[in-house]
Amino acid sequence: MLEYKLRGGEKMIEVKVPISSDDIIEAVKKMKKHERESFIEDLLAMTSPDYLLSIKEARAEYKAGTTKSHKEIFGE
């Protein structure tokens, strides 16, 4: 099913495809490790405002120089 929507004045096409959660899980299991990790990170980013906020805060801390190295924290 195709639907046309306007988002911010931009015409978008939305395609709805019926798919079960089991199908999605199987597809994710078949991905290579790096693809699966990237997919899961993208999924978290798209569904979790807290996750996006934590990334934004971490980048700001890094830019401000307020982060510590692994060695400073763990002494290794």
Side-chain angles (χ1 to χ4, degrees):
M1 177 176 167
L2 289 177
E3 289 184 17
Y4 294 92
K5 295 184 174 189
L6 291 176
R7 185 185 301 172
E10 183 180 335
K11 190 173 185 178
M12 304 287 292
I13 299 175
E14 183 176 294
V15 179
K16 294 187 178 189
V17 180
I19 187 167
S20 72
S21 57
D22 288 339
D23 291 338
I24 294 170
I25 291 167
E26 280 305 309
V28 171
K29 284 181 177 178
K30 291 177 182 177
M31 291 177 180
K32 294 178 182 175
K33 183 178 179 180
H34 70 276
E35 292 171 336
R36 184 173 53 249
E37 290 171 351
S38 178
F39 172 78
I40 291 171
E41 185 172 342
D42 290 346
L43 184 61
L44 280 170
M46 290 185 285
T47 60
S48 174
D50 290 340
Y51 180 74
L52 288 177
L53 180 60
S54 73
I55 292 171
K56 185 177 180 178
E57 289 171 347
R59 288 179 177 161
E61 290 170 0
Y62 180 80
K63 189 174 181 179
T66 58
T67 58
K68 295 186 179 196
S69 69
H70 185 275
K71 186 175 183 177
E72 289 174 300
I73 294 171
F74 297 103
E76 298 174 8

